Amino acid sequence: MNALPALVDALPDGRVLTDPDVTDSYARDQTFLRPGTPLCVVAAQTRDDVVTTLRWATEHRVPVVPRGAGTGLAGGATAVDGCVTLSLARMTAIRELSPADEIAVAEPGVITADLDRAAREHGLMYAPDPSSHEISTIGGNLATNAGGLRCVKYGVTRDSTLGLEVVLADGRVLNTGRRTIKGVTGYDLTGLFVGSEGTLGVITAATLRLRRAPALPPVTIAAEFPSLRAAGDAVAAIVAAGCRPSLLELMDRGTLKAIDDWKNIGLEDGVQAMLIAQAEGDAPGDASAMARLCEENGAGFVAVSSTPEETEELIGIRRLAYTAKERLGACLVEDVCVPRSALPDMISEIERSAARHDVLICTVAHAGDGNLHPVFIFDRGLPEPPENVWAAADEVFRAALDLGGTLTGEHGVGLLKRRWLGLESGPVTDEVQRGIKQVFDPLNILNPGKAI
């Protein structure tokens, strides 16, 4: 493209990458989707790099695909032909961390766990805790409104986002939100950008709410169940009893077997599900109540941690889940979300779809907020999932909607779920969302074809 030298000249040396092997490595996320061929990669290090890139892209009508660490599971960062892949992974500054105000200002390339560790040096924590927290970035979490293991108590990324610095498609810089907990001046533009998957603007910094870290170590419960449905019933009982777990995670037999085959965790033959729950140290009554409710709902074995090391060991089992399933084959990873009361029914629907279509589905769930991650596993080397996998996925999505749920809780729509959007959104919602897109990105250069 004749205009590319102008971009190279406008940015500092080394920012524009054009080697095909390098650009290809930036072209995909964690999905099986086949990416387009990027024109180049811009490895931004500053907000000005982003401004320059978007001004150039607007002038020359070139699509731009923002990208963080590439850990997405919906195809949101998949390159399109002729695009600039705008990598934000080098923007890693924590610009500010204020213990007095309990906020941090972080750039999009900051690793999620690194921000949490920085906050804990001051007795604080960053609450959102996706399973990929050691490799995913703040920018990617913002783009999909990620949740994670602690979301049952502390909410998702939007609940910890006070304000944003955003570069719009034409290169203008927009500052949204505030540094205060309260604030209702104007429309909630911060909430609009969180979860927008890079289709409305490129986030270059976020003002994030920190919270007081618990003074005492958490108590963790691991309960084994003879059926997945029984584990779902235990979750419903825990919620109904008014317990306030800081973590409530569910794993089915397929997931546990994948972990056991890899790490030899001593899985017994009769165990069909495991529930891992956690109560913060200042609420020991919740821990004992959750253990009792698990037993009352059919748990054959319940372990309660007595040391921080035991807690880490139990949580570590949950964090192994996705990697263990990747060892079994290619994965279509989904994340339907239903009302918590509908969790047992949704679990049953997933099991029926797996049997009906002869598909291996391994399910984990952020059970405390009804967010399930059924992973459809198929043979490696195929360009996409076979028809029986798509048929099972279709049934699972429709079941979630019938139960009052949603197609995606935290992974985003990306490319993978666009075929089902009409089932949930409807024509009026679709028209309004396209109108919003037109306001912020009239040339449709920002992550085209994604999210809506």
Side-chain angles (χ1 to χ4, degrees):
M1 181 179 180
N2 293 334
L4 185 57
L7 179 62
V8 175
D9 290 342
L11 289 167
D13 290 346
R15 299 290 204 274
V16 181
L17 312 175
T18 57
D19 182 291
D21 291 334
V22 174
T23 58
D24 182 67
S25 70
Y26 284 86
R28 67 194 74 231
D29 56 12
Q30 294 297 306
T31 64
F32 53 82
L33 293 167
R34 183 170 298 178
T37 302
L39 173 68
C40 68
V41 172
V42 170
Q45 293 187 23
T46 67
R47 184 190 71 183
D48 289 345
D49 292 344
V50 177
V51 169
T52 298
T53 300
L54 291 180
R55 284 177 178 169
W56 175 90
T58 291
E59 179 181 354
H60 298 285
R61 306 298 196 267
V62 176
V64 176
V65 177
R67 174 189 170 88
T71 61
L73 295 166
T78 305
V80 299
D81 285 334
C83 76
V84 172
T85 297
L86 179 55
S87 172
L88 306 165
R90 296 184 184 179
M91 296 184 65
T92 58
I94 299 175
R95 295 182 185 175
E96 179 186 353
L97 201 158
S98 171
D101 293 325
E102 297 185 357
I103 61 171
V105 180
E107 292 184 344
V110 173
I111 298 295
T112 312
D114 288 345
L115 178 59
D116 185 49
R117 281 188 281 265
R120 287 181 186 270
E121 293 180 6
H122 302 277
L124 303 169
M125 70 176 188
Y126 179 61
D129 182 36
S131 295
S132 59
H133 70 301
E134 290 288 0
I135 53 175
S136 64
T137 60
I138 293 297
N141 295 169
L142 290 163
T144 60
N145 193 24
L149 306 189
R150 290 194 291 255
C151 58
V152 61
K153 183 169 185 178
Y154 295 104
V156 292
T157 298
R158 184 179 286 118
D159 298 305
S160 290
T161 306
L162 299 174
L164 299 171
E165 175 187 273
V166 183
V167 182
L168 300 178
D170 59 6
R172 290 179 297 161
V173 177
L174 171 69
N175 289 289
T176 76
R178 67 251 176 231
R179 293 168 60 92
T180 57
I181 300 300
K182 292 182 178 180
V184 293
T185 305
Y187 297 126
D188 181 11
L189 296 179
T190 302
L192 178 63
F193 278 99
V194 177
S196 63
E197 301 185 46
T199 61
L200 302 180
V202 178
I203 296 170
T204 51
T207 301
L208 301 168
R209 181 183 182 183
L210 304 177
R211 300 172 191 265
R212 283 286 153 193
L216 299 173
V219 179
T220 303
I221 299 99
E224 298 176 346
F225 290 87
S227 72
L228 193 56
R229 175 80 190 210
D233 289 339
V235 170
I238 288 169
V239 172
C243 299
R244 290 294 310 276
S246 55
L247 181 150
L248 195 57
E249 297 290 303
L250 179 63
M251 294 181 285
D252 72 354
R253 172 78 186 185
T255 301
L256 293 168
K257 188 175 186 307
I259 297 171
D260 189 56
D261 289 345
W262 181 26
K263 296 292 186 179
N264 190 25
I265 60 173
L267 179 65
E268 299 288 342
D269 288 342
V271 177
Q272 297 298 315
M274 177 181 288
L275 184 64
I276 297 180
Q278 191 171 86
E280 291 181 345
D282 57 356
D286 280 350
S288 58
M290 288 190 291
R292 174 178 53 78
L293 289 166
C294 286
E295 292 172 345
E296 290 177 358
N297 282 274
F301 175 76
V302 179
V304 180
S305 69
S306 57
T307 66
E309 291 75 22
E310 289 180 359
T311 283
E312 288 302 313
E313 184 176 346
L314 294 173
I315 299 301
I317 294 174
R318 170 60 180 87
R319 295 199 188 277
L320 291 170
Y322 180 63
T323 305
K325 283 176 281 196
E326 280 190 312
R327 299 175 72 249
L328 302 179
C331 297
L332 170 63
V333 185
E334 291 306 339
D335 76 314
V336 296
C337 193
V338 296
R340 290 181 299 193
S341 60
L343 184 71
D345 292 331
M346 189 65 229
I347 287 169
S348 296
E349 291 290 344
I350 292 171
E351 291 182 317
R352 281 193 286 268
S353 292
R356 186 158 39 239
H357 296 283
D358 191 26
V359 177
L360 175 59
I361 305 178
C362 298
T363 301
V364 300
H366 305 310
D369 57 8
N371 188 190
L372 301 100
H373 296 310
V375 178
F376 303 75
I377 298 171
F378 57 98
D379 291 339
R380 296 190 195 280
L382 297 177
E384 65 172 64
E387 284 304 313
N388 65 323
V389 170
W390 283 125
D394 181 78
E395 285 188 1
V396 167
F397 290 139
R398 291 174 184 273
L401 295 175
D402 288 344
L403 290 168
T406 180
L407 297 170
T408 175
E410 59 184 359
H411 292 172
V413 172
L415 289 174
L416 280 178
K417 296 192 183 73
R418 289 185 65 212
R419 68 176 76 184
W420 290 282
L421 275 181
L423 297 175
E424 181 172 346
S425 59
V428 175
T429 299
D430 184 63
E431 180 182 356
V432 170
Q433 295 203 72
R434 292 187 182 280
I436 293 170
K437 172 72 168 173
Q438 179 67 22
V439 168
F440 286 97
D441 182 21
L443 300 179
N444 193 31
I445 65 170
L446 287 177
N447 217 5
K450 315 290 178 57
I452 63 171

